[in-house]
Structures are given as C-alpha cells and as structure tokens.
Amino acid sequence: MSSSPTGSSTGSSTGSSRAVKVSLVPSMVKADALVGMVAVVVDQLRASTTICTALANGAKEVKPYLEPMQAMQAKARYREGTAILGGERMGRRIEGFDCGNSPAEFSRDKVSGKVVLFTTTNGTRVLYHAARAERVVVGCLANLNCLVEFLEHEKRDVHIVCAGVRGELANEDVLAAGAIVSRLMMVAPEDLGAETRSVWRADDGAMLALGFWRRASATPEDLLEAMRVSIGGRNLVSIRMGADVALCTRVSTLRVVPEFDRNSTSLRGARLPKDPPMKMVGLEELAGEGVAESRKEDEASEGTGMGTGEGTGVDGEAAPKG
Ligand code: MLT
C-alpha cells in the first residue's frame, strides 16, 4: 500500500473512492457544505482530547455549551450529584466549575456515570458550526486509530474541521488533521479486507495538513516540540499547563469516537466497527516521560514571572516560546 505524490491512495483497492477534506479554520467551510458528509471536529489542545477522555472514563454524555452561563443554568436542572461543570476561559477553569479543560481532571472517579456540562472557547463552538453534517464526530491524536476505523467503515466523504483559536489557524489542530489524513491513507488492506477499503481523494487542505504532519512527526520528540510551539501549546505553557500539551500528544490511547447529536445537543461514544483494532504504528510509544518532563517545567516556571498568562495571548495572540 503506497501513497501517490498527490496523496491519493494507490493501493490495489476495489473499494469506493471518497473525498477527505480539511478546513484549516472553521470559516473555510460553510455549514451547508457539510450536508451528507462525516464532519470530524478537531480541537487538539484540548477540547477534543478532554471530551474523548471524559467519555472513555465512563461519562454518560458530554453536553457542549457556547457560554458558561448556559452550562450553569443547565446544571440546576440535574439532580444533585448527576452532572458536573467542565471547561475553560483563557485556558483556566471557570469560577464555580468542577473541572477545567485538562484531560487529567476528567478521571473515572470524577465523571463515571455523570453528565459533563462543558464549555470551551473554540472547541464547543466548532461542534455547532459542523452540526449540519450527516454525522459529527470528535477527533484528536488520542483516538486516532479507532477514529480511522470508524471513518473507513462509515463510507461517506470526510471533512475535517479544525477549531483554530478565535478564528485563526492553530498548528496543533492542523497537525492532528494531518495525522488523520495520513492514517486513513496508511490503513493496510489486510486490516479491513481489500474489497471494503476506500481510495481517498485528498483536497489541498488535506494535502497541506498531511505534509505538515509528516515533517513534524519524524520522532515523538519532534512531535511534542511542534505541539509546544503551536499557538495552543504556547498558550498552555504560558499558564504553566505545559504538561497538558504532552498529555494531549499521546497517540491512540483512547478507544472512543464521540459523536455529536444535534437534536439532543449531546456527545456520546459512537458505535465502533466490530473488526479487530487495526495495527498501531509509529508514535503510540510516546510515553509518560514527556508529561512528567513538562510538569517539572511548569513547576519550575512558577515564581519566575513566566506563566502568569498576562500578555501571553491565552486569548489568541501567543508570545513565541522563549
Ligand atoms: C478551546 O476549546 O478553546 C480549547 O480547548 C482551549 C483550551 O484548551 O484551553
């Protein structure tokens, strides 16, 4: 199985030809253009990873809200102890909320059996932008393998929509989009059966994301560095949450594909194909060391004047990593 210079799959497949497109920012795709497609919403740092973590740890559902006040009002409608509030503004936990937007906070003991009422700056917004698609799912590095299995079996054209940061391009999302495109093209025919395999037609956005991913992910260390110097990575490092960048850079650690239902406005795990999981390749071995290292750096920056979040662009305009 190989890829042509244009990125299209050239495997000896008898399967269908399908489009894979990437919008580098939400405004690159009109809501109507997603009708009939599977939309994959990517907010790599951190909303996508956090939603996957909450559902993988047994949350009943995740309900995304645009504004903190809407989530708070919704909580009042739940029985005591059945729902928790999660999310961020400026990267930090919102006052009165149970959790912020760190995947590490959404542990099994906190979320199992509960509804997570969730609001983030960009991630929850892009879900509503993509809501007209036939199916809307959440993608990131953490659920890469099972997402690709899901997309292979779904048999529709795929449109990956990067959340960006306040409408601007965010490299961390483009990297994750490139990983998805790359993995779609790498699925070995023996994993799915040649007759069912798709031939993917990548648009220019998908080609660009793929090229970026290939250059940036030569080694786990390169990938972690690319994430750290992305706008979302710099913002997190500046508020001493660099450990989250490492946590979110782990590949194929979660077996869940969150699906957004526009009628109930909630996210639940989609039914996954029954086939045995596809072989994992490459970067899965990125171990906990990156997280531990980054945690030390977060702690070391405390009291040094760094990491106050002030003027560092948590709100969009990030300072270069210094
Ligand atoms: C977002 O939705 O804007 C992000 O997930 C922000 C963050 O991680 O703090």
Side-chain angles (χ1 to χ4, degrees):
M1 179 43 234
S2 63
S3 291
S4 78
T6 60
S8 308
S9 172
T10 56
S12 59
S13 169
T14 53
S16 55
S17 163
R18 297 162 64 193
V20 55
K21 301 183 176 202
V22 173
S23 287
L24 305 173
V25 287
S27 60
M28 274 180 72
V29 60
K30 290 203 170 65
D32 285 353
L34 296 171
V35 173
M37 302 185 109
V38 183
V40 181
V41 164
V42 175
D43 184 354
Q44 175 59 30
L45 296 174
R46 297 162 289 175
S48 288
T49 316
T50 300
I51 291 167
C52 287
T53 305
L55 290 175
N57 280 336
K60 202 168 152 199
E61 57 182 333
V62 176
K63 286 186 79 75
Y65 293 92
L66 297 179
E67 299 302 335
M69 190 48 79
Q70 296 171 323
M72 285 170 165
Q73 285 166 350
K75 192 176 179 196
R77 297 195 284 274
Y78 284 86
R79 245 185 321 112
E80 179 76 28
T82 60
I84 62 165
L85 287 166
E88 59 69 39
R89 283 299 178 273
M90 308 282 280
R92 300 178 201 272
R93 181 162 59 86
I94 299 161
E95 216 187 308
F97 274 43
D98 305 289
C99 299
N101 188 26
S102 169
E105 293 177 86
F106 292 76
S107 55
R108 189 162 285 276
D109 59 318
K110 271 227 180 103
V111 303
S112 183
K114 304 217 171 117
V115 175
V116 178
L117 310 166
F118 191 63
T119 178
T120 69
T121 314
N122 307 284
T124 51
R125 203 158 287 278
V126 70
L127 278 167
Y128 287 97
H129 180 71
R132 298 212 55 200
E134 186 65 27
R135 299 188 78 172
V136 182
V137 295
V138 170
C140 54
L141 293 182
N143 73 345
L144 184 59
N145 252 26
C146 64
L147 173 70
V148 168
E149 289 168 35
F150 171 90
L151 295 174
E152 258 297 345
H153 284 81
E154 183 49 30
K155 300 291 162 220
R156 291 176 187 277
D157 290 342
V158 171
H159 200 126
I160 303 168
V161 187
C162 298
V165 172
R166 294 191 183 275
E168 304 286 329
L169 187 143
N171 274 351
E172 69 272 19
D173 296 339
V174 182
L175 272 174
I180 298 166
V181 176
S182 164
R183 192 62 62 96
L184 278 174
M185 292 175 172
M186 272 165 57
V187 175
E190 65 269 21
D191 283 338
L192 291 160
E195 70 291 342
T196 57
R197 235 190 71 67
S198 303
V199 177
W200 292 98
R201 287 175 284 109
D203 78 345
D204 280 12
M207 292 302 303
L208 195 126
L210 177 64
F212 182 33
W213 167 255
R214 282 182 177 160
R215 278 193 309 282
S217 65
T219 68
E221 293 74 26
D222 288 350
L223 177 59
L224 182 55
E225 186 55 17
M227 285 291 175
R228 284 174 66 89
V229 301
S230 68
I231 181 167
R234 297 194 307 269
N235 285 342
L236 288 169
V237 169
S238 78
I239 56 169
R240 295 193 297 271
M241 289 185 178
D244 275 4
V245 181
L247 199 56
C248 295
T249 305
R250 298 167 78 182
V251 182
S252 296
T253 48
L254 301 174
R255 208 168 156 72
V256 64
V257 176
E259 178 164 15
F260 182 58
D261 174 41
R262 60 172 170 262
N263 298 315
S264 61
T265 65
S266 82
L267 287 147
R268 289 170 184 259
R271 186 186 293 274
L272 295 177
K274 283 206 185 67
D275 298 357
M278 296 180 310
K279 277 193 284 300
M280 290 189 184
V281 254
L283 294 153
E284 284 78 10
E285 64 277 8
L286 185 70
E289 288 141 51
V291 181
E293 268 307 297
S294 307
R295 224 165 249 151
K296 273 187 227 144
E297 281 171 34
D298 289 345
E299 280 157 20
S301 72
E302 206 149 357
T304 61
M306 281 173 68
T308 61
E310 276 170 26
T312 53
V314 170
D315 219 351
E317 186 89 358
K321 189 171 166 258

